[in-house]
Amino acid sequence: MSDVPQKAESDPKVLEFARYELDYRRKKQWDIFSWAVTILVAVIGGMIALTSKENIRPDHPSRYAMAGALFFLTVYAAYWIRENLAAEERADGKVKKLLSLSDTREATSFKKSTDFLFGYVPVVVLIGLAAIVAVLFVNASPLGFGALKPS
């Protein structure tokens, strides 16, 4: 009876599915990261461009509402990236286990997305904070980011 699960796990389709899951989770992380960072960087650039060239100064309630939306966008993106990182860990473990059971001499050491010094989550959080600071402080007062004020 113990031979049945091992036989099922040695099926090439099981390994193929595990690899698909791993690739899917990595792509999902990248999609969430690139989507969130694109929005956050666009907000930073837009805020600086509008306030420096057009002399537009959003009122404080508008700034607070925008900062709140950016905060929730950042938290939501970081949460879903972390969820996909956990799923990637599980899929990576499954692929390694299946490769160790198989007869092939395939490499089992893949570079994980959590092995990098700055991963997706810290970068999203830092850029999110930068976007919130830009919304709240770029030309918010006569003292805020004076170098960006129109002449």
Side-chain angles (χ1 to χ4, degrees):
M1 189 142 169
S2 62
D3 293 334
V4 176
Q6 192 164 355
K7 246 185 186 179
E9 287 182 347
S10 65
D11 182 10
K13 290 187 181 207
V14 175
L15 178 60
E16 183 181 332
F17 180 75
R19 282 186 174 151
Y20 172 79
E21 174 72 14
L22 183 62
D23 290 341
Y24 172 79
R25 293 301 174 177
R26 289 180 175 171
K27 182 181 180 323
K28 191 73 150 176
Q29 289 168 49
W30 169 253
D31 290 346
I32 295 167
F33 172 80
S34 62
W35 168 80
V37 168
T38 299
I39 292 171
L40 295 169
V41 169
V43 167
I44 294 170
M47 197 69 186
I48 292 171
L50 286 175
T51 58
S52 66
K53 296 199 182 248
E54 301 293 327
N55 199 19
I56 295 173
R57 291 174 102 184
D59 60 350
H60 289 293
S62 297
R63 288 179 186 268
Y64 298 146
M66 194 187 250
L70 292 172
F71 173 78
F72 285 112
L73 170 75
T74 301
V75 169
Y76 190 71
Y79 171 78
W80 279 108
I81 290 171
R82 285 181 57 117
E83 286 292 311
N84 279 283
L85 281 169
E88 176 192 354
E89 284 288 323
R90 290 189 300 273
D92 185 54
K94 182 75 171 174
V95 168
K96 286 181 179 177
K97 180 182 175 190
L98 291 170
L99 286 174
S100 71
L101 293 174
S102 71
D103 295 333
T104 61
R105 296 280 180 220
E106 206 169 327
T108 59
S109 60
F110 301 110
K111 186 81 168 172
K112 293 192 281 188
S113 55
T114 55
D115 289 343
F116 301 106
L117 180 62
F118 294 107
Y120 291 141
V121 174
V123 172
V124 166
V125 169
L126 288 174
I127 294 175
L129 289 174
I132 291 169
V133 166
V135 164
L136 292 177
F137 298 112
V138 170
N139 287 346
S141 69
L143 303 174
F145 290 95
L148 299 175
K149 284 196 234 173
S151 49

